[in-house]
Each structure stands twice: as structure tokens, then as C-alpha cells.
Amino acid sequence: MNHRIPVMVADNDAEVREALADLVESHPAFELVGLAADHAQTVSVASQARPRVLVLDVQMPHGDASGTVRTLRERAPETRILALSAYADRETVTDVLAAGAVGYLVKGAPAEEILEAITRAARGQFSMAAELAEACLEPLRRAVRPPAPGARGPTVRIEEKACLDVLEQAPCGVLVTEAHDRVELANAHARRMFGYSTAELRGKRLGDLLPELPGVEAAIGQQIVPAPATPGLRRDGSEFPARVGGGRLRGGRSRYVVYVTDLSETGGSGDRLRQYVESSPDAMMIVDAEGRIRQASPRTETLFGYPREQLLGMRVETLMPDQPLTVSLRDWADPRQELAGHSVELVGRRQDTKQFPADVSVSPLQTSEGAFAVLTVRDITEVQRAQFVLERSLELLEGTDRDRQALLSHLIHAQEEERRRIAADIHDDTIQVITAAGLRLQQLRRRLTDPQDVQVMDKLDETLKLSLSRLRQLIFDLRPSSLEHGSLATALQTFLDRMHADTGTSYKFEDHLDKALPVETMVVVYRTAQEVLINVRKHARAKMVRVQLLGVDDGCLMRIVDDGVGYDPFEVESRPGHLGLTLIHERAQIAGGWSRVESAPGAGTTVEFWVPLTEAGTEDNGAASASKDTGP
């Protein structure tokens, strides 16, 4: 009888795909059952081959990774999906994990790490490179830092929310501990698993939760290597079988990430349904024939404002009153009839009586207990608001500023499209070739016996990894994913973090914008800041730079101040070949704004850049101001 784990590989680059296939086939515990070169082919092949593990490239043609993961969770629910991508930004990681992937690795990872992640995925365990987990957790570390006396407490910003989403969407319990085995952070899955609140878990020893687990510092190497199963201890004193994994996070102090899977929750179809509801990114409810809620996802609590215990048993009409919500359970009771769901737009009502437009999908569910309805509710306030903004934008284009706005939009889109094309070429060609070469190199290394040959091969492998890291950074410079997700602050924060890591220049970043920026304005501001900061890095020899985003006169004011060597602006601007300041001035004028540069030798430099917010782009997003310091 064949006990090997069926594995499928999906990657649009032939060299990487073949290298991964050879790596899978070289492992005695794995059996390669399928290959695919795009998302559509992946869905088709996986639906037929039913692999236990699918190694999925995130960026492929004919679809997107999140859609592929969600489709396969429906068509092949037994398939565990392990993402392998050249993109390591938090937004991409969050999207893929939220869709249902059980792990995320970055291309260039060692072959042994890929094979171990496949093994873990087959067991239903979570996998993520320690450095990637650390990058996602870093904003959380900043958020829990106590404020200075008299200062306002920190607010959760967009980038911090993205990292919280990474933890909350993990399909297992996630604990972050410090060197003395005390818990610093825990996701909702871990809190439910052990029965503690956030405050109760923080500071608790890992041994109180997993009494037979050895201390993490005593683990082998940097990986936690426990027994196949270890008992977990809940708050009420009951035990459950658990499988534990994780590793050490790199950084100045010893911190560890621990993944915990409750083995008692795996296996049954009812458990799979419960896990599906629990992990849904939308509000999801299971309603019985009487119209009462039998099960509700965490997102339902958040959307409607009711606690879980109050939702259970509540009539669904309480959440969407006086509306034609037809569940049609009686029509679904006949097993000979083909079941069909439907979708309708209604108005939801929260516990505080506030209403919101909602898109409600109603799907039938036949179980051994009878017919139920699965309701998926999505708040479409932002969709309707976006539609209004679009309509308003079209009206403004008919005004006197139409030509200027059209020119600005054309220039920005042309520039961004070219950057996007170059970034795609780097990902689809250069990174793929280097990744394939790295995998082949690691296969060759395992065959070498001479220590000197192995040493040379290790140095070559490190060089390839460095090349991949720099290319991934170049992709970010060309195409910041944060801008695509509508977060100017996150994009600037990431750029400043890298600048600090590369040059040692400390910075202070302040975001006091209380209105959302139109896409064109956001790109103009980011590219201008990027150009100014590159000049600071190259020429200023600054120890500190301060970046501010301010809402001034119905517009966005960006101010960048450095304590560097300074210069004579008139002399530099008149010098042939120095177009940077001129381009900044022209970009501001095209956008309907202004710019100002103030500097003197030995006195540092101040650059200010203001652009207006049109009515179409003005939208109160309720963001509070926040600041972040590094260095002294």
C-alpha cells in the first residue's frame, strides 16, 4: 500500500517548477502527483489529482492566489496549500493566509525548509520563515511599547492591523514568547484553545499551557522539536492533545514564535465546517429551520456588535429586521430537490441600532440533522461610497480642472505602469531563474563529500540568497504593495525602516492625516518623498531625518527635515544635470500645489511639498495621528 504523501507543484516558471518537482521526487515520503503553470490550470489539476499538499506560487497568470486558495478549499478541502513566493510584504502574506493557506515561504528558502514545510502542511500545521514572522510582528512590538508619561496611548495603525490579521488568520494557535518562556502575544485561536483572555495570557509561562514541553531555549538549534503530540492544559484544567512547532525570531533579544494545533479538533466533517466558519473573513452564520442562529463566526461578532453567546439562539431577523430575507428552508427539506442559494442586498442593524448596507449570500446546507442555511454577510458601505466617489469624480472631470487632472493621472499611470512592468519582469524572469539555480545548487550540495567543496558551495548559496534579497527589495521600490492597498503611511514607514537599516540614519515619522488620499495624489506624495529621501541618503550625511504628513488647507503637506551637511539650493539647481529639485517643483505644480526647499551649508535641509485634496478624494477614514521614533 502506498503511504507516500501526494504533493503538487504550481509555478509559472518552468525552471523553478521542474526544480521543485525534482526536490519533491527526491524525498522518499513524497509522491509528485501534478504540475501546473497558472492559477486556472492549478485549480483544474488539483481538483482532479486531490494532492495532500499543494506548493503554490503566488504570482501566476490567469487568476490570483487568494481566489485559487478559496476555490480549492471548496473543491478539494483535503488539500493543504503552502504558498511559495518572491513577495514578502505583509499585505500579500495576509491575503493568502486569510484565504486559507497553511503556510508561507519566500523563494530562496533552503530546500530542507521547503521539505519540512510540506511535511508540516500535510499534518495541518502552520509554517512561516522566522524572519518573515518577525517582520510581521515588529509593528505589534512597537504598538505594545508603553507611552511616555503624559503622552497619548498609541492607536492601531493600518500596518499594525495587517500584522494582527496575519496572526488572527493563522489556522492554529500562535504564541509569541520571550526568553523566560513568558507569553507576550497570542492570537484569537490560541485564546479560544486555552480558554484565557488576552490579559490573562500575557505574562503566563509557556509551561502553564504546555506542561510537558521543554523550555524553548533548550530546544535543538533554533527550532522547537517536541514529541509528535504533547498535552495542552486549558484554563478549566482539562487537557487536549496538541502538536507544537515554531522557532526563534531574529533580533536583539531572544523571542520565539510557537504554533499550537489542537489535535482533538481535526478530522470530522462537522469540525471542518466549524473551522471554515471560524476562519471566514466575512460574517458567517448557520441558521436552522426556525430562523435561529446556531453558529456564528468571530467576524459576525465584530460586524453586528453582539457577543457570541448572545448571537447563538437569536433570530436572524434581529440583525436584518423588516426585510424579505428568504431562507427557504422548507423548500430545501426535500432531498430529491436540487439545492440552490441566492444573494440579496439588505440593510443590517448593529447592536447600537446603527444600520449599514449589506450583501447577504444565502446557501443551503444538508446535514444529518436536517437542512440549514449558511448566511454570509458583507458590509458594502465602502463599495457604495466608492461608487459615489467615482460618480463625483466624473462630475469634477467636467469642470475647469479637467485637463490638469487628466494630465497628472496620465503621467502617474504611465510611470507606475512602467514600474509595474519592470517589477513583473524581475519577478517572472530574474528571480525565478535564481530561485531555480538555488534549488539545483542545494541538490548538488547534498552529493558533495569534500569539506572544501561544501564550503565553496555554501558561499555560493549565500551569494544567491543575497541576490534574491536585493531583487525583492528592488521590486518593492518599483511597486510598493502598501500603495496598492491604499496605505501611504505604511509605504513610507517601510522605506524609512530600510534606510535606517542600510545607513544607520535615525528617523521620526509622524502621520497626522485625517483624510484618505486619492490614488494619484498618494503616488505623487510617495514618489516625491522617495526622491527626497534618496538624496538625503546619498548626500546629506544626516544622523536624523523627520518626516511629517499633515492635513493643511484641504490638502496634504509633506515635510522632510534632515540634520545633514546642507547645501546652497541656488547653486545646485543651476548646475547642469541636477534635475531632482526641478522635477519636485514641476510635479507639485501639475498637481495644483507647491513645493519649497530651505537649506544652507552646515544647517541641514527642509523640503515641503503640498498638494490639494479634491472633493472626490476627500474621505474621512477616522485615522488618528500617530508617531514613531527610532534611534536616540
Side-chain angles (χ1 to χ4, degrees):
M1 184 176 180
N2 185 7
H3 294 287
R4 293 195 297 169
I5 299 171
V7 180
M8 177 180 166
V9 172
D11 198 295
N12 67 310
D13 187 271
E15 292 294 330
V16 176
R17 188 169 61 250
E18 292 175 7
L20 286 171
D22 290 345
L23 179 65
V24 169
E25 288 186 314
S26 69
H27 196 287
F30 300 154
E31 177 187 6
L32 184 67
V33 297
L35 296 171
D38 58 49
H39 284 292
Q41 188 180 26
T42 298
V43 172
S44 176
V45 175
S47 299
Q48 297 178 10
R50 302 280 176 161
R52 182 63 175 166
V53 179
L54 166 62
V55 182
L56 176 69
D57 182 18
V58 171
Q59 293 292 334
M60 295 192 298
H62 306 306
D64 63 272
S66 298
T68 296
V69 174
R70 291 190 179 96
T71 300
L72 288 178
R73 287 188 66 187
E74 296 177 0
R75 299 187 184 181
E78 70 278 9
T79 297
R80 315 287 186 178
I81 300 175
L82 173 66
L84 181 65
S85 174
Y87 294 94
D89 57 278
R90 292 191 291 268
E91 291 83 2
T92 301
V93 175
T94 301
D95 288 345
V96 175
L97 292 181
V102 299
Y104 197 106
L105 297 182
V106 177
K107 286 186 175 178
E112 291 76 11
E113 186 175 340
I114 296 175
L115 294 173
E116 173 62 21
I118 294 174
T119 302
R120 291 175 56 79
R123 296 198 298 254
Q125 292 179 284
F126 184 66
S127 294
M128 181 185 289
E131 57 269 21
L132 182 58
E134 182 181 23
C136 292
L137 291 169
E138 178 62 19
L140 294 180
R141 184 186 65 78
R142 300 173 190 148
V144 300
R145 185 171 55 186
R152 291 188 301 173
T155 56
V156 178
R157 298 176 47 76
I158 295 175
E159 61 268 29
E160 295 163 3
K161 181 180 182 300
C163 295
L164 283 168
D165 287 342
V166 170
L167 287 180
E168 297 303 324
Q169 295 296 343
C172 65
V174 181
L175 304 170
V176 178
T177 70
E178 43 90 21
H180 299 292
D181 292 355
R182 293 192 179 276
V183 176
E184 289 186 340
L185 295 169
N187 68 351
H189 200 124
R191 297 194 295 270
R192 290 193 298 270
M193 182 184 301
F194 292 101
Y196 292 94
S197 68
T198 301
E200 291 172 331
L201 268 180
R202 185 175 294 124
K204 185 169 287 294
R205 290 188 178 275
L206 193 61
D208 296 332
L209 309 175
L210 302 160
E212 295 185 14
L213 183 73
V216 289
E217 284 189 308
I220 300 174
Q222 291 187 354
Q223 283 297 117
I224 299 173
V225 185
T230 186
L233 188 63
R234 295 190 176 93
R235 188 177 187 273
D236 61 6
S238 62
E239 291 188 354
F240 63 96
R243 184 174 286 123
V244 184
R248 179 174 179 174
L249 299 177
R250 297 177 184 176
R253 61 192 182 97
S254 297
R255 297 163 72 231
Y256 300 84
V257 58
V258 181
Y259 308 122
V260 186
T261 302
D262 186 349
L263 299 179
S264 66
E265 294 183 351
T266 61
S269 60
D271 289 328
R272 286 197 297 270
L273 176 61
R274 184 185 61 78
Q275 293 172 7
Y276 177 73
V277 173
E278 289 292 317
S279 63
S280 173
D282 296 319
M284 182 174 287
M285 296 169 281
I286 296 180
V287 180
D288 63 19
E290 302 298 324
R292 296 189 179 277
I293 300 172
R294 297 283 294 273
Q295 192 170 336
S297 68
R299 177 60 183 156
T300 308
E301 299 177 75
T302 304
L303 181 61
F304 290 98
Y306 290 91
R308 182 84 59 97
E309 56 270 19
Q310 193 171 348
L311 282 171
L312 299 182
M314 179 185 293
R315 297 192 66 85
V316 73
E317 287 81 5
T318 304
L319 306 181
M320 285 163 285
D322 305 320
Q323 296 172 85
L325 177 61
T326 304
V327 177
S328 305
L329 286 174
R330 288 187 296 273
D331 297 337
W332 296 339
D334 186 356
R336 296 171 299 179
Q337 183 173 353
E338 183 178 356
L339 303 183
H342 60 276
S343 180
V344 63
E345 288 189 6
L346 303 175
V347 175
R349 185 169 68 183
R350 299 185 174 94
Q351 187 181 30
D352 59 6
T353 71
K354 292 183 178 179
Q355 296 183 338
F356 63 94
D359 178 73
V360 183
S361 296
V362 185
S363 302
L365 176 66
Q366 283 283 9
T367 72
S368 58
E369 300 178 15
F372 293 82
V374 180
L375 270 60
T376 304
V377 185
R378 178 172 298 178
D379 185 346
I380 57 174
T381 302
E382 294 301 324
V383 174
Q384 293 188 352
R385 183 178 296 170
Q387 183 176 352
F388 169 79
V389 169
L390 178 59
E391 293 170 354
R392 183 61 176 158
S393 298
L394 293 175
E395 295 174 3
L396 289 173
L397 283 175
E398 297 174 357
T400 57
D401 292 336
R402 178 178 56 190
D403 292 339
R404 187 191 68 196
Q405 293 294 336
L407 175 60
L408 174 63
S409 179
H410 175 75
L411 289 175
I412 292 173
H413 281 298
Q415 288 179 336
E416 294 306 309
E417 186 60 33
E418 182 65 13
R419 290 187 174 101
R420 187 178 294 109
R421 184 191 64 79
I422 295 173
D425 288 345
I426 293 173
H427 173 269
D428 295 339
D429 184 14
T430 310
I431 283 186
Q432 300 286 38
V433 171
I434 295 178
T435 299
L439 290 171
R440 298 292 188 191
L441 185 68
Q442 293 175 43
Q443 294 177 29
L444 176 60
R445 183 189 181 282
R446 293 201 293 269
R447 301 179 184 178
L448 298 178
T449 57
D450 188 299
Q452 292 184 347
D453 292 342
V454 172
Q455 186 178 12
V456 171
M457 199 66 68
D458 287 341
K459 291 182 178 179
L460 180 57
D461 186 47
E462 288 299 321
T463 301
L464 289 177
K465 290 178 181 177
L466 179 61
S467 299
L468 282 173
S469 176
R470 291 180 176 178
L471 286 172
R472 282 195 293 267
Q473 187 56 57
L474 178 58
I475 288 178
F476 174 82
D477 290 340
L478 291 168
R479 184 187 178 187
S481 60
S482 301
L483 288 184
E484 296 183 359
H485 288 75
S487 176
L488 172 63
T490 302
L492 288 172
Q493 182 82 66
T494 303
F495 188 93
L496 288 166
D497 280 336
R498 193 180 85 253
M499 179 176 169
H500 175 66
D502 292 343
T503 66
T505 304
S506 299
Y507 70 86
K508 183 175 183 180
F509 175 61
E510 301 173 15
D511 177 15
H512 297 288
L513 282 177
D514 58 357
K515 295 180 180 179
L517 301 181
V519 175
E520 288 82 1
T521 305
M522 185 165 53
V523 173
V524 167
V525 174
Y526 175 78
R527 293 301 179 193
T528 303
Q530 184 183 44
E531 190 167 338
V532 174
L533 291 171
I534 288 175
N535 285 334
V536 172
R537 184 168 60 185
K538 287 183 177 179
H539 308 297
R541 300 200 295 274
K543 295 181 180 179
M544 168 67 77
V545 61
R546 181 180 183 183
V547 179
Q548 294 175 294
L549 286 175
L550 306 169
V552 176
D553 296 335
D554 293 325
C556 172
L557 174 66
M558 182 193 70
R559 179 183 294 128
I560 299 178
V561 182
D562 70 70
D563 62 355
V565 297
Y567 66 97
D568 183 344
F570 180 80
E571 188 272 332
V572 171
E573 289 182 23
S574 61
R575 192 184 305 164
H578 287 264
L579 300 177
L581 296 177
T582 301
L583 291 175
I584 290 174
H585 293 319
E586 290 183 353
R587 190 182 288 122
Q589 290 176 359
I590 292 175
W594 52 263
S595 66
R596 181 182 70 87
V597 178
E598 181 179 318
S599 185
T605 302
T606 298
V607 178
E608 290 186 334
F609 177 93
W610 181 88
V611 292
L613 294 176
T614 63
E615 250 184 275
T618 304
E619 176 179 311
D620 187 2
N621 62 3
S625 62
S627 66
K628 185 245 181 182
D629 294 276
T630 69

